[in-house]
Amino acid sequence: MRATWMAALPAGLMLMTGTASAQTPPPAPPRPATVTDPTWASVPSGEELSAAYPEFATAIGQEGEVTLRCTALASGGLDHCEVVDVKPRGLGFDRAGLSLSSLYRVNPRVVDGQDTKSTVQFPIRFRTRPYDPIAPWTGPEPDTAHLAAARVIADRLAPAIQANFLDSLEHIDVDADRVDKVRAMLVQAHEEFLERDKTATVLTMARLLSPAQLAVMAAGGPPPTTPSDEAIASASDQSEAVSRAQMDRLRALYCTQFECPVLSAPSADSVRP
C-alpha cells in the first residue's frame, strides 16, 4: 500500500480537545476507484507490441504476462504505472509491459458528468506463434563443386558473423542476476550448432547464387543483387530447420534452471512477436 505516515496515525491524534467541529480537518478525498476492466480509447499497434516482446524470451519461445496498475488521468493517459505481477520472472516481461504503458489511452471514468482520475489494473499477455511448416526446396540441388565455391564465401564471412554473435552477448535482456548463466547457454548452443549452421548456410548460398556469381565474389568482386525475400525463404529450408533446432536446444538449457510456465490460451489482447 502507498499510505502516507499521516494516514497511519490514529484518528484520535487528529483531534484536539474542545470544540471538535472547529478542529477536525476536512475529510480526505476518496481514493480513486480501481478499474480492472477498462475500456480503451487507443492501444499500441501490433508492430509496437511485437517490438516490446523481450528478445531472449522470443528466442526460446517463452510466453509471459504482466499486470500493471496505473493512474488513469482525466485526459485518458496513464501515469505512475507499477508492476503488480509478472509471469515468469527474470525474462523482462515486467520491463516490456512498462515500456508499453505510455501507448495506452483509457476512456476516462465519469463521475457526475465529469471525466475523473481513477486507477486501472490490466494484464498484457505475451504469446508466441506456433512454427509455420517449413516448405521444402523444390529447385535443383547444387553439385559438389558448386557447394565448395559457396563454402569459400561462407568461410570468408565467418569472422564477421562470429563478431556479431559475440557482440550480441553484451546485450542480453534478462534480469541482471541471470545474464551470466544465459550468456553461457547461448555460447553452448552456438558452439553445438556451429557446423550444422554453416553447412546449411552454404547450401542456401549455392541454391541462390550461380557458380559464376560465387567466383566473382571469391575474386573480391561485389555480391550480386540480393535475391527476393521469397527466393531466400524458399532456399533456406535447411537453415530454418537448424535455427529452430538450436532455439529448442537453448530453451531446454534455460528451462532446466529457470521457470518456463505454460500459460493460458491466448486472447485478443495478446502480444505476439
Side-chain angles (χ1 to χ4, degrees):
M1 294 180 62
R2 292 177 174 263
T4 65
W5 65 271
M6 287 293 291
L9 289 174
L13 295 182
M14 302 300 293
L15 301 176
M16 302 294 291
T17 58
T19 308
S21 60
Q23 300 294 330
T24 304
R31 293 174 62 85
T34 299
V35 180
T36 56
D37 57 347
T39 59
W40 300 106
S42 62
V43 297
S45 68
E47 292 78 10
E48 291 167 330
L49 293 170
S50 295
Y53 206 118
E55 185 176 356
F56 181 75
T58 301
I60 64 172
Q62 180 55 51
E63 301 178 333
E65 293 182 5
V66 58
T67 299
L68 300 183
R69 182 187 294 128
C70 308
T71 298
L73 306 176
S75 64
L78 301 183
D79 197 11
H80 297 105
C81 291
E82 61 182 359
V83 174
V84 176
D85 188 32
V86 60
K87 296 181 291 189
R89 299 184 181 278
L91 287 174
F93 289 112
D94 47 354
R95 296 184 291 276
L98 290 171
S99 75
L100 291 167
S101 63
S102 64
L103 302 177
Y104 286 87
R105 294 189 67 83
V106 70
N107 291 315
R109 182 170 174 259
V110 179
V111 176
D112 296 331
Q114 299 293 321
D115 291 342
T116 61
K117 184 165 64 174
S118 62
T119 299
V120 294
Q121 183 170 311
F122 61 98
I124 301 175
R125 300 178 177 90
F126 296 84
R127 296 292 185 265
T128 58
R129 295 186 183 277
Y131 286 140
D132 292 326
I134 299 176
W137 168 254
T138 58
E141 292 291 9
D143 59 24
T144 302
H146 195 170
L147 290 170
R151 182 166 284 273
V152 170
I153 306 303
D155 289 341
R156 185 175 297 175
L157 295 175
I161 294 172
Q162 180 68 7
N164 287 337
F165 170 71
L166 294 176
D167 180 68
S168 72
L169 297 179
E170 302 304 317
H171 308 282
I172 302 171
D173 60 350
V174 299
D175 285 5
D177 61 347
R178 301 187 182 190
V179 168
D180 289 343
K181 290 183 178 180
V182 168
R183 182 181 291 117
M185 296 172 194
L186 286 163
V187 170
Q188 180 178 340
H190 175 73
E191 292 177 349
E192 288 179 5
F193 283 82
L194 187 60
E195 188 54 38
R196 288 176 60 186
D197 183 54
K198 188 174 183 179
T199 298
T201 298
V202 166
L203 179 60
T204 299
M205 292 176 61
R207 287 170 171 176
L208 292 170
L209 303 175
S210 69
Q213 290 172 320
L214 292 168
V216 170
M217 293 177 65
T225 302
T226 303
S228 67
D229 291 343
E230 293 76 10
I232 294 174
S234 177
S236 300
D237 60 336
Q238 295 303 306
S239 289
E240 179 64 20
V242 171
S243 176
R244 293 184 184 185
Q246 184 173 350
M247 294 304 99
D248 289 344
R249 173 59 173 155
L250 185 58
R251 177 178 175 83
L253 291 171
Y254 182 85
C255 296
T256 59
Q257 296 192 47
F258 300 108
E259 178 189 16
C260 294
V262 177
L263 302 176
S264 59
S267 59
D269 59 349
S270 297
V271 181
R272 297 175 180 272

